[in-house]
Amino acid sequence: MFFAFHQPGPPAFTGTQYRSAIFYHSEAQRSEAEAALKAKGRLGEFVSLEPGTSDFYRAEEYHQNYLAKAMGTPWGVSPPPPKVAS
């Protein structure tokens, strides 16, 4: 499901600050995520696999609706439609 809605790519910045992440809550989820990342080959290398947590903090307001605010700029490209089987 992760790759149906998200296309990770090489980090544009140094480090893992902007890297995509999959959060798992059980060993079964971890195994499934690891298999999906391995199946994606090099693309899977740009995704961090992290244990889940109950704490979640909403980003600052200027980060909300980023694509809508960035349209017309080089980094404001529209995302592709989801690839969900019907």
Side-chain angles (χ1 to χ4, degrees):
M1 186 79 152
F2 176 78
F3 290 105
F5 291 96
H6 182 67
Q7 297 297 318
F13 305 97
T14 324
T16 57
Q17 179 177 347
Y18 295 99
R19 197 169 273 213
S20 301
I22 295 176
F23 294 90
Y24 61 89
H25 295 280
S26 68
E27 284 305 310
Q29 288 179 346
R30 179 187 176 124
S31 296
E32 189 176 334
E34 286 175 339
L37 294 176
K38 186 175 181 180
K40 285 295 182 178
R42 181 132 167 81
L43 186 61
E45 295 175 16
F46 302 114
V47 180
S48 295
L49 191 57
E50 304 291 336
T53 178
S54 59
D55 295 336
F56 179 81
Y57 300 95
R58 185 173 169 81
E60 293 86 357
E61 186 55 39
Y62 66 90
H63 287 296
Q64 304 303 319
N65 299 309
Y66 178 78
L67 285 177
K69 293 174 184 174
M71 291 309 281
T73 66
W75 51 88
V77 247
S78 296
K83 299 175 190 170
V84 178
S86 51

